[in-house]
Amino acid sequence: MATYLIAVPYLSVLLALVFYGLHRSHLVWLLWKHRESLPPAAPRNIPDAELPYVTVQLPLFNEPDVLERLLETVAQIDYPADRFEIQVLDDSTDDSRELARAKVIELRNRGVDAVYIHRHDRVGFKAGALDHGLTLAKGELVAIFDADFLPQPGFLRTVVHHFADPKVGCVQARWGHLNREVSILTRVQALMLDGHHMVENRARFASGHFFNFSGTGGIWRREAIGAAGGWQHDTLTEDLDLSYRAQLAGWKFVYREDHVTPAELPEEMEAFRAQQFRWAKGTVQTARKLLGRVWARTDLPFSVRLEAIFHMTPHFAYPLMVMLAVLLLPMLLVMPASSTVGLALDLSLMFASTGSLLTFYVVAERSQGRSAWGALRRLPWLLAIGSGMSPWLTKAVWQGLTAETGEFVRTPKKGDKAKQGRYRARTSLPWVEMLIGAESAAAVVAAVVTHHYIAAPFAMLFLMGFGYVSLTVTRERLGLNAPAAAPLAQPERISEPSLGPMPGFEEGARATDSAAA
């Protein structure tokens, strides 16, 4: 009886994880099936006088180490000066405000149409800032870049011709990685994001399924934003939310894999955890909000509606992974290694953990001309870190299902001042990870003693993942991995009078002040 009490839930969890794994294989198959739809769009030379007016929005919140680099890079974009403006949407509460204002004045003195807009509150967080900026924007198209992104000079000219099609609402470019090789953590993140961009986005775009604007590194038709109901802040993934509402309203999205916008990856585990928590919670909130609406649209193909489920529920794999890690030790103890059921379970674990993931990430690496060996070498660490993050992201899933929006905690950026970052994310101490890590250590021993040799490497992956996350977060909290820094949650607040007037920005300032009042 004890065997069945353990085996049934263990097998159920494995089957669910295999189901998610098979979906990754399905995306690879879709990519291959529709590969002819993916060649880069032929460049079109549009006369300057016919180019659409573009507003570039730069949402900022306490980004002193990267904002000047960002503004200087955006100012170098190759586009007619009379058809291009920069909006600095700064909700900062620290001295970033003075830095941003000074940089905007410098750009204006150089003939760049740049405006500084500061809100006195963070209502709606990033979504609120973008929405407020639209009320003052001049452009019919709106490009958006987060503080750590560095758009290439040809970004706008490369993508704006897609909007000659009046049904195109958004164009998303691929993300690059400025600091891919800094550590095993950044290498794993780069692999994860490459899988998202080079397999998921490409497969969904080529096959006609919905995919999402990634929050940055893309450009919107302003009309599409309004027609979809505008930026809303009842989820923490406002980009995914608006993307689905826009596509449900009939707007088409374009993915440009061939145009890359480099960005910075979090180099600290706590920053990575904070980012992933926000993404996981927000995605679940968006599923809660929109999946019913998607399935009510019977005019949409069944495959589009089915893919939407997988698109908005991938983070449910994390609670399953926690259950798998907890059940592994008792399963090893009660299931004879020689039994057919035990062997089947071990092989299922191997298939669910490696087969589809290996194909998925090898395709992602090969699609950008990188070595498949790189994916092979990093896959064990990707699996380990994914499992080590699972308790933390299970909490995010639960909050996404049950809680209100919550605070948008931005990911701290280091920029060129890698040793001087003032802000660091703060997450809870990994007590649960430590406990499951200890159980995983026991599972490694049990797998060897009970001759479950196929399960042993996976027990070791769990141990690596929970141990790595626990140790890294603890070291960062003790200040052993980086210089001490002020907590992100409690930035220094500077009084408004210290900023003083800003010549040439009165109209934007008045509009912002009145909105805040």
Side-chain angles (χ1 to χ4, degrees):
M1 179 60 70
T3 300
Y4 288 106
L5 289 176
I6 299 297
V8 170
Y10 185 83
L11 180 59
S12 300
V13 169
L14 272 179
L15 289 174
L17 286 172
V18 168
F19 200 53
Y20 275 104
L22 288 175
H23 174 252
R24 290 181 183 264
S25 298
H26 176 68
L27 288 173
V28 172
W29 177 79
L30 280 179
L31 185 61
W32 179 84
K33 179 182 178 182
H34 298 280
R35 61 192 181 280
E36 299 300 327
S37 304
L38 287 171
R44 290 178 53 187
N45 294 321
I46 303 175
D48 285 2
E50 298 177 15
L51 287 170
Y53 201 107
V54 179
T55 296
V56 178
Q57 293 187 318
L58 308 176
L60 303 177
F61 177 68
N62 294 351
E63 308 283 7
D65 296 326
V66 295
L67 69 86
E68 292 176 289
R69 181 185 70 177
L70 169 69
L71 268 64
E72 186 61 41
T73 302
V74 173
Q76 301 300 319
I77 289 179
D78 176 23
Y79 208 73
D82 61 342
R83 311 189 78 78
F84 167 62
E85 72 163 340
I86 301 172
Q87 279 189 343
V88 179
L89 306 175
D90 188 14
D91 286 354
S92 295
T93 57
D94 64 359
D95 60 341
S96 298
R97 294 188 294 179
E98 283 99 341
L99 293 173
R101 282 178 178 249
K103 187 63 180 179
V104 168
I105 290 176
E106 176 193 329
L107 294 180
R108 288 175 64 88
N109 290 337
R110 287 159 45 184
V112 178
D113 186 359
V115 61
Y116 177 90
I117 301 171
H118 174 71
R119 299 189 303 163
H120 296 284
D121 55 45
R122 292 186 71 202
V123 172
F125 304 108
K126 180 181 176 180
L130 294 171
D131 186 55
H132 180 68
L134 281 181
T135 66
L136 303 170
K138 302 174 185 176
E140 58 187 281
L141 303 180
V142 182
I144 300 169
F145 298 103
D146 283 348
D148 56 320
F149 276 68
L150 298 178
Q152 299 180 41
F155 179 86
L156 294 182
R157 290 187 184 271
T158 299
V159 302
V160 295
H161 71 84
H162 291 288
F163 293 95
D165 180 349
K167 295 303 293 178
V168 169
C170 178
V171 179
Q172 175 66 54
R174 177 158 58 101
W175 292 6
H177 316 296
L178 292 167
N179 54 341
R180 175 192 293 266
E181 299 298 335
V182 166
S183 66
I184 188 61
L185 179 61
T186 58
R187 289 191 286 270
V188 165
Q189 290 178 71
L191 185 60
M192 292 169 59
L193 288 170
D194 288 344
H196 172 66
H197 279 271
M198 297 305 295
V199 180
E200 291 184 59
N201 280 354
R202 294 168 76 219
R204 289 176 179 139
F205 167 56
S207 60
H209 293 107
F210 289 177
F211 74 96
N212 65 293
F213 168 64
S214 300
T216 174
I219 184 166
W220 278 88
R221 188 189 299 273
R222 184 174 178 175
E223 180 187 355
I225 297 175
W231 291 106
Q232 297 175 7
H233 47 85
D234 52 350
T235 78
L236 289 178
T237 47
E238 71 293 324
D239 44 9
L240 178 63
D241 174 28
L242 179 59
S243 296
Y244 264 78
R245 286 188 282 114
Q247 288 168 104
L248 286 170
W251 294 96
K252 295 193 300 186
F253 279 37
V254 174
Y255 184 66
R256 290 295 301 271
E257 63 180 91
D258 57 312
H259 192 78
V260 182
T261 303
E264 179 183 314
L265 297 164
E267 294 180 13
E268 296 181 343
M269 177 58 73
E270 287 204 89
F272 179 56
R273 290 178 95 211
Q275 178 197 69
Q276 295 298 309
F277 189 96
R278 185 180 76 243
W279 289 357
K281 179 178 176 180
T283 301
V284 174
Q285 289 172 327
T286 304
R288 216 174 81 190
K289 175 181 178 179
L290 295 179
L291 266 183
R293 195 184 306 181
V294 172
W295 273 88
R297 288 286 301 273
T298 55
D299 57 317
L300 292 174
F302 176 78
S303 63
V304 171
R305 290 180 287 155
L306 181 62
E307 183 59 32
I309 292 179
F310 283 102
H311 192 180
M312 287 195 268
T313 64
H315 297 97
F316 284 95
Y318 290 109
L320 295 172
M321 203 173 297
V322 171
M323 295 172 64
L324 185 68
V326 171
L327 290 170
L328 180 58
L329 177 60
M331 189 64 199
L332 293 171
L333 295 176
V334 302
M335 179 64 66
S338 59
S339 72
T340 303
V341 174
L343 181 60
L345 291 177
D346 286 346
L347 291 174
S348 297
L349 176 59
M350 180 175 64
F351 176 75
S353 300
T354 59
S356 58
L357 283 174
L358 179 60
T359 304
F360 183 85
Y361 288 111
V362 165
V363 169
E365 291 292 272
R366 294 296 300 150
S367 296
Q368 51 186 320
R370 300 177 67 85
S371 169
W373 176 240
L376 291 170
R377 286 188 295 111
R378 290 172 182 142
L379 185 63
W381 275 107
L382 185 147
L383 291 168
I385 292 176
S387 63
M389 293 277 287
S390 59
W392 175 244
L393 297 181
T394 296
K395 178 181 177 181
V397 170
W398 175 250
Q399 289 190 8
L401 288 170
T402 60
E404 297 302 321
T405 305
E407 182 181 2
F408 186 106
V409 180
R410 70 99 164 100
T411 308
K413 321 296 192 309
K414 289 186 175 182
D416 297 325
K417 304 175 182 178
K419 300 300 183 183
Q420 302 175 30
R422 286 184 287 167
Y423 293 112
R424 293 172 63 189
R426 283 291 183 264
T427 58
S428 61
L429 286 171
W431 299 114
V432 175
E433 288 85 343
M434 293 178 188
L435 289 173
I436 302 180
E439 183 184 354
S440 297
V444 172
V445 176
V448 175
V449 171
T450 60
H451 308 294
H452 284 89
Y453 298 118
I454 295 178
F458 298 98
M460 180 61 72
L461 282 176
F462 283 137
L463 175 59
M464 285 172 55
F466 293 116
Y468 176 78
V469 171
S470 301
L471 179 62
T472 305
V473 172
T474 302
R475 285 176 58 87
E476 289 176 3
R477 189 61 60 87
L478 295 174
L480 300 178
N481 284 14
L488 177 62
Q490 299 178 345
E492 180 184 0
R493 187 171 294 275
I494 298 177
S495 61
E496 185 66 22
S498 68
L499 292 175
M502 189 171 188
F505 292 75
E506 291 81 0
E507 182 178 351
R510 280 200 302 271
T512 306
D513 291 347
S514 62

